[in-house]
């Protein structure tokens, strides 16, 4: 449960801080970098603004929508086979597709794990429905974390 809460807080705080700093620069009409001339600064602000809006919409909004799910412990579970070979990033995160045994649908989830996930590994992951971020519970019958009840 702590991973789910930490991920939500991390995304919300980081993106909100970045957006506030950006808006303060734009409102006060200060350049994003001192080395930019006026035209370069306008183009840079438009690009950075677009990236921030995109990141906020697809990163923070789903996390905010998952807050009631965390409070009510409305957490989905997917049990199935991993599709593809996935190595952890520097932050020890893995994003993978899991073919659900029950519904036969492909579910894309992200979770923390330090080892490689191989094609055909049997996984049990509990995840939040909007952000698709979860916790790896089992890998090939080995219990990794306790279930969230």
């Amino acid at each position: 449960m702590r991973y789910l809460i930490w991920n939500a807080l991390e995304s919300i705080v980081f993106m909100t801080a970045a957006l506030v700093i950006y808006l303060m620069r734009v409102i006060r009409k200060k350049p994003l970098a001192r080395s930019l001339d006026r035209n370069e600064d306008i183009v840079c602000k438009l690009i950075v603004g677009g990236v921030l809006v995109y990141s906020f919409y697809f990163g923070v909004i789903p996390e905010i929508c998952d807050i009631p799910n965390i409070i009510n412990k409305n957490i989905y579970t997917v049990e199935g086979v991993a599709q593809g070979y996935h190595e952890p990033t520097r932050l020890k995160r893995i994003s993978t597709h899991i073919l659900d045994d029950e519904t036969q649908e492909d579910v894309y989830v992200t979770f923390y794990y330090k080892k490689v996930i191989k094609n055909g590994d049997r996984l049990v992951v509990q995840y939040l429905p909007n952000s698709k971020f979860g916790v790896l519970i089992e890998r090939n019958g080995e219990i990794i974390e306790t279930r969230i009840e």
Side-chain angles (χ1 to χ4, degrees):
M1 186 65 132
R2 67 180 184 269
Y3 294 119
L4 302 177
I5 295 170
W6 176 250
N7 185 65
L9 287 175
E10 179 183 75
S11 297
I12 293 169
V13 169
F14 176 75
M15 286 306 302
T16 303
L19 193 60
V20 166
I21 291 169
Y22 171 77
L23 289 175
M24 286 174 44
R25 288 279 194 184
V26 170
I27 290 170
R28 292 182 180 171
K29 297 182 181 177
K30 290 187 177 183
L32 290 180
R34 292 182 180 155
S35 62
L36 299 175
D37 67 15
R38 185 173 172 2
N39 291 335
E40 291 172 340
D41 185 54
I42 291 171
V43 170
C44 191
K45 283 180 181 175
L46 289 172
I47 292 170
V48 170
V51 169
L52 282 173
V53 167
Y54 177 85
S55 299
F56 198 85
Y57 184 76
F58 289 106
V60 176
I61 301 297
E63 297 290 347
I64 291 171
C65 293
D66 275 335
I67 290 173
N69 293 320
I70 292 172
I71 293 169
N72 297 326
K73 294 186 180 179
N74 179 23
I75 299 169
Y76 293 13
T77 301
V78 60
E79 297 182 26
V81 178
Q83 305 295 307
Y85 179 87
H86 305 281
E87 292 186 17
T89 63
R90 288 186 307 161
L91 299 174
K92 307 297 184 225
R93 285 185 178 185
I94 291 183
S95 296
T96 186
H97 292 269
I98 300 173
L99 185 62
D100 192 352
D101 291 339
E102 290 180 19
T103 63
Q104 294 301 313
E105 73 178 89
D106 190 33
V107 179
Y108 182 75
V109 293
T110 302
F111 51 86
Y112 288 112
Y113 191 58
K114 296 178 184 176
K115 298 178 184 175
V116 172
I117 299 291
K118 298 175 185 169
N119 189 27
D121 282 352
R122 292 212 40 84
L123 304 176
V124 176
V125 177
Q126 288 186 304
Y127 66 98
L128 295 169
N130 296 306
S131 63
K132 303 292 187 190
F133 187 82
V135 177
L136 180 63
I137 304 299
E138 285 183 31
R139 177 178 175 235
N140 294 329
E142 175 189 355
I143 297 175
I144 308 297
E145 286 283 332
T146 57
R147 286 188 182 264
I148 301 167
E149 301 297 332

